[in-house]
Amino acid sequence: MDSVAKRELSLYNGATAIELTEANWDAETAGKSVLLKFFAPWCGHCKKLKPDWDKLMEEFNGSPGSLVGDVDCTAGGQSMCEKHGVKGYPTLKYGEPGDLKDYQAAGTSTA
């Protein structure tokens, strides 16, 4: 199954995530501003972020100039995590694919 078919299948199944790896990085990010979540599947904070992240990815799905995606640091994206200096999970980065910046959001509290 080629990458286009896999992507279409994942969209059909309701999973709009684009998981970036070294193999598809250039093709998926070319000409786009990106917001990326570098994660590990076993990470509790990553699991907690997943539902909101999935909604955000769905909102930007198909955007010609923007990409919201995932990079699994334990699998095919491991080399990308190393290249972009990921030290903990989840790590959010944004910007141009060749010059990613760390995303620092103000925390919120419901207490």
Side-chain angles (χ1 to χ4, degrees):
M1 183 181 298
D2 67 27
S3 64
V4 172
K6 286 180 183 176
R7 187 172 176 189
E8 288 175 0
L9 179 61
S10 71
L11 292 173
Y12 176 77
N13 289 330
T16 59
I18 293 180
E19 189 168 310
L20 296 171
T21 65
E22 188 171 9
N24 69 2
W25 180 273
D26 291 337
E28 293 290 350
T29 63
K32 297 182 180 180
S33 294
V34 300
L35 176 60
L36 304 174
K37 176 183 69 174
F38 293 85
F39 75 101
W42 47 259
C43 164
H45 293 294
C46 300
K47 290 177 184 178
K48 186 175 180 181
L49 178 60
K50 185 174 179 5
D52 290 329
W53 192 259
D54 288 349
K55 286 178 192 174
L56 185 63
M57 285 192 295
E58 188 173 318
E59 287 179 28
F60 281 88
N61 186 37
S63 173
S66 301
L67 171 70
V68 178
D70 284 330
V71 181
D72 184 344
C73 295
T74 67
Q78 186 173 7
S79 64
M80 302 314 298
C81 296
E82 292 169 2
K83 178 179 179 178
H84 294 287
V86 174
K87 304 259 188 260
Y89 311 115
T91 294
L92 303 179
K93 292 190 178 259
Y94 71 96
E96 300 304 312
D99 186 28
L100 294 177
K101 311 281 188 240
D102 289 334
Y103 179 79
Q104 302 290 332
T108 59
S109 175
T110 58

